[in-house]
Amino acid sequence: MRFVFILFVSVPCHPPSALWTSTQTSTGRSRICWCSTFFCHCCSWFCRCCMISRTSFCLSVNHYCCFVEFDRTFLRFHSDQVVRISPESPHQVQMVQNLLQTLKQVDLWQPSSVALIQHGSSVDVHVGRSSTQQLKTHLHQEDIYYTVLISDLQAEVEKQTQSGSSRGRRSEVQYDYDVYHSLDEIQSWMMMMNRTHTQLVEMFSVGTSYEGRPLYVLQVGGMRRRPSKPAVWMDCGVHAREWIGPAFCQWFVKEALNSYHYDPVMRRLMNQFNFFIMPVFNVDGYHYSWTTDRFWRKTRSRSPKFHCRGADANRNWKVRWCEDGASPHPCDETYCGSGPESEPEVRAVAAFLRRHRKRVKAYISIHAYAQMILYPYSYKATPIPKLSCVDSAARRAAMAIYSAYGVRYRYGPASSTLYVSSGSSMDWAYKNGISYAFAFELRDTGYFGFLLPESLIRPTCTETTRAVRAIASSLLKKCR
């Protein structure tokens, strides 16, 4: 169901000179207008109505052409549910796959593709209210166990969007790290960090997104910012709906800067390494998840042959591109893109990492959800060389997480710990000489899923900061 904002705008009657024209509204903003087939009775010509979301019509009020505009729509999820399904046999797996491919209004949360469903592993799926009963009936008929994780999705969404007053604060002292922030707020915060911590922070852009937004990165490091200084790369927000990722990247920067002068461990790490931190990798998708669809995952690029938009930014890298675990179809959530690095965001970051491959000693990509620390390979089950070194770092990271609040994270090769996927950034980083390459899947294990409450931002970020410190500390030790 869509929640629609209706805006009334009036302009004097005057015939436009062409099919497409620019009409100035009463607010003074020029807009591109579209020739409607609705007749405007205040004039003797067809009204040209402003086209915002492909739906407009006009009517006559006091001898003015009035545009009734269906302005930017935000998807609503009243009575939608998130259901966890537990197939226990190959037959039940096949039934669940067929059912999810048949039903309308179905959004798979875990795993990311129907093809990755396995018996013995749970399946989390967001189901629209019109399909909920049908899904439950079929599962009951096939004797497949399920449980409802979220009974009203909209109620949970609103819990993340009702603390706007604290989000709007701009000063560093008042900036609230315990709430989720929009893209504009995050980028303003990055500029503030760059402006107020000139000795430790440097902000730059690695390129622009499909929709023309800058791809900002913060370089955070101690006083010795020599060109050859080793570095750790960390990105968040690859998948737009995983809001806890950008929240963590901001938290880590704040903790690093605040603790530099009194914490000897953090000071040593920042003096030994530069941290390249990209709070929002998928800027277009993240912005879209705030303005239109809370559960948008992909980028926002256009496909010339399909109406579906975007590619999976973690299936678009030039390593076993579009093989197992990725889809060639633009409408799928795991769409690999039209080619390796077809997405401007992926291409820009890959180019930066190639230029600095001799400096970057660790690559960390933050995702959600599953509570896992993953390392290569994603695309095959073969162990990586020097497995013990990477596995030891992952184990230390998991122990560091546990030391904070007793939360357990699994760790291991992505292909066996989570699922097989090709074209991932982690595998690409490893193949390009970054031996310590990891992907984190943060809290939780499905009770909240992509809607991790703001009350859990602090504990999640606190424990994850300890994990990143543990991995960075592992780089200082020689491993044979």
Side-chain angles (χ1 to χ4, degrees):
M1 178 180 178
R2 291 179 181 266
F3 181 82
V4 181
F5 297 95
I6 300 180
L7 175 68
F8 290 84
V9 181
S10 61
V11 297
C13 289
H14 61 281
S17 58
L19 181 66
W20 289 88
T21 185
S22 176
T23 302
Q24 193 172 57
T25 68
S26 59
T27 60
R29 291 177 295 176
S30 293
R31 289 177 172 169
I32 299 300
C33 294
W34 176 65
C35 180
S36 170
T37 56
F38 288 88
F39 189 76
C40 185
H41 294 287
C42 65
C43 307
S44 59
W45 44 274
F46 285 85
C47 179
R48 269 65 173 172
C49 292
C50 278
M51 179 83 169
I52 296 246
S53 59
R54 301 194 183 123
T55 312
S56 307
F57 61 91
C58 55
L59 49 86
S60 175
V61 177
N62 296 330
H63 305 290
Y64 281 84
C65 266
C66 292
F67 298 153
V68 181
E69 298 177 351
F70 288 77
D71 209 340
R72 185 191 301 278
T73 59
F74 191 88
L75 294 179
R76 308 285 281 186
F77 307 98
H78 286 295
S79 300
D80 287 13
Q81 296 187 348
V82 177
V83 178
R84 170 163 289 180
I85 306 170
S86 302
E88 297 178 350
S89 68
H91 172 73
Q92 289 190 345
V93 166
Q94 185 65 51
M95 296 302 299
V96 171
Q97 289 175 329
N98 292 341
L99 182 58
L100 296 182
Q101 289 173 330
T102 302
L103 288 176
K104 297 179 179 179
Q105 292 188 316
V106 168
D107 175 23
L108 200 58
W109 282 17
Q110 285 284 12
S112 57
S113 170
V114 170
L116 298 173
I117 296 175
Q118 300 176 347
H119 68 275
S121 298
S122 59
V123 179
D124 296 349
V125 58
H126 161 205
V127 189
R129 62 178 178 179
S130 63
S131 299
T132 301
Q133 192 54 51
Q134 186 179 358
L135 173 69
K136 293 178 180 179
T137 299
H138 279 84
L139 294 175
H140 180 74
Q141 291 174 348
E142 296 296 332
D143 198 27
I144 300 174
Y145 177 79
Y146 72 89
T147 184
V148 176
L149 297 178
I150 300 176
S151 58
D152 186 350
L153 198 56
Q154 183 60 31
E156 295 300 322
V157 169
E158 290 174 357
K159 290 179 182 178
Q160 294 186 340
T161 56
Q162 289 178 343
S163 52
S165 59
S166 61
R167 285 193 183 91
R169 296 171 181 168
R170 284 292 180 264
S171 73
E172 182 179 354
V173 174
Q174 292 181 316
Y175 193 83
D176 194 347
Y177 293 89
D178 289 299
V179 300
Y180 296 112
H181 289 275
S182 68
L183 179 66
D184 288 344
E185 290 166 358
I186 293 173
Q187 292 186 338
S188 294
W189 167 85
M190 294 176 74
M191 294 174 186
M192 179 177 63
M193 293 292 104
N194 184 56
R195 186 173 58 252
T196 57
H197 297 275
T198 56
Q199 296 299 314
L200 297 173
V201 176
E202 181 180 344
M203 178 178 169
F204 60 93
S205 172
V206 295
T208 55
S209 69
Y210 179 85
E211 295 181 341
R213 295 182 175 88
L215 302 173
Y216 288 134
V217 175
L218 291 179
Q219 177 180 259
V220 180
M223 297 298 291
R224 296 180 294 169
R225 281 198 249 167
R226 59 189 186 276
S228 60
K229 186 178 177 182
V232 174
W233 172 277
M234 183 162 62
D235 58 52
C236 299
V238 172
H239 294 140
R241 60 191 177 185
E242 299 166 9
W243 285 8
I244 187 58
F248 168 69
C249 267
Q250 293 176 89
W251 183 280
F252 183 85
V253 171
K254 180 259 298 184
E255 285 295 302
L257 296 177
N258 289 350
S259 62
Y260 177 74
H261 295 290
Y262 70 83
D263 183 340
V265 175
M266 183 59 78
R267 183 166 59 251
R268 184 187 183 202
L269 292 176
M270 289 178 65
N271 286 338
Q272 291 292 325
F273 300 106
N274 281 334
F275 288 84
F276 293 122
I277 300 174
M278 190 177 195
V280 187
F281 184 108
N282 178 10
V283 289
D284 295 344
Y286 186 73
H287 176 73
Y288 191 75
S289 75
W290 274 82
T291 60
T292 306
D293 183 355
R294 173 62 184 85
F295 301 107
W296 186 260
R297 169 185 168 94
K298 300 187 290 182
T299 63
R300 293 292 298 160
S301 57
R302 292 183 182 274
S303 172
K305 296 182 180 179
F306 294 86
H307 71 280
C308 302
R309 294 188 64 168
D312 186 335
N314 202 34
R315 301 292 188 278
N316 191 236
W317 295 72
K318 196 173 182 179
V319 55
R320 297 299 178 95
W321 176 77
C322 218
E323 295 184 9
D324 292 346
S327 170
H329 197 287
C331 293
D332 289 343
E333 295 283 32
T334 56
Y335 174 49
C336 58
S338 59
E341 298 180 18
S342 62
E343 305 310 287
E345 300 85 355
V346 173
R347 188 162 59 251
V349 173
F352 177 85
L353 292 174
R354 285 191 189 99
R355 288 196 304 271
H356 298 276
R357 71 172 71 192
K358 293 183 179 179
R359 293 181 57 199
V360 178
K361 304 302 179 183
Y363 173 90
I364 301 172
S365 189
I366 305 296
H367 295 262
Y369 60 94
Q371 293 180 196
M372 294 178 180
I373 301 170
L374 309 171
Y375 53 78
Y377 295 110
S378 294
Y379 65 84
K380 64 178 180 179
T382 306
I384 60 173
K386 293 188 177 181
L387 171 64
S388 61
C389 298
V390 177
D391 187 77
S392 177
R395 177 176 56 82
R396 290 193 187 101
M399 291 172 60
I401 288 175
Y402 182 78
S403 70
Y405 302 99
V407 174
R408 296 187 182 276
Y409 272 51
R410 295 170 58 196
Y411 63 93
S415 58
S416 57
T417 309
L418 185 58
Y419 46 65
V420 173
S421 63
S422 59
S424 73
S425 62
M426 178 183 67
D427 283 349
W428 181 93
Y430 183 80
K431 284 289 189 179
N432 279 266
I434 305 175
S435 299
Y436 287 78
F438 299 93
F440 279 52
E441 295 284 348
L442 302 187
R443 295 195 195 187
D444 59 0
T445 56
Y447 186 81
F448 294 108
F450 300 121
L451 292 174
L452 193 72
E454 291 180 328
S455 61
L456 294 179
I457 291 177
R458 179 177 293 267
T460 301
C461 293
T462 298
E463 65 196 15
T464 309
T465 297
R466 294 191 183 189
V468 172
R469 285 169 47 133
I471 288 176
S473 296
S474 296
L475 299 176
L476 299 176
K477 301 175 183 178
K478 289 186 177 181
C479 182
R480 299 181 183 275

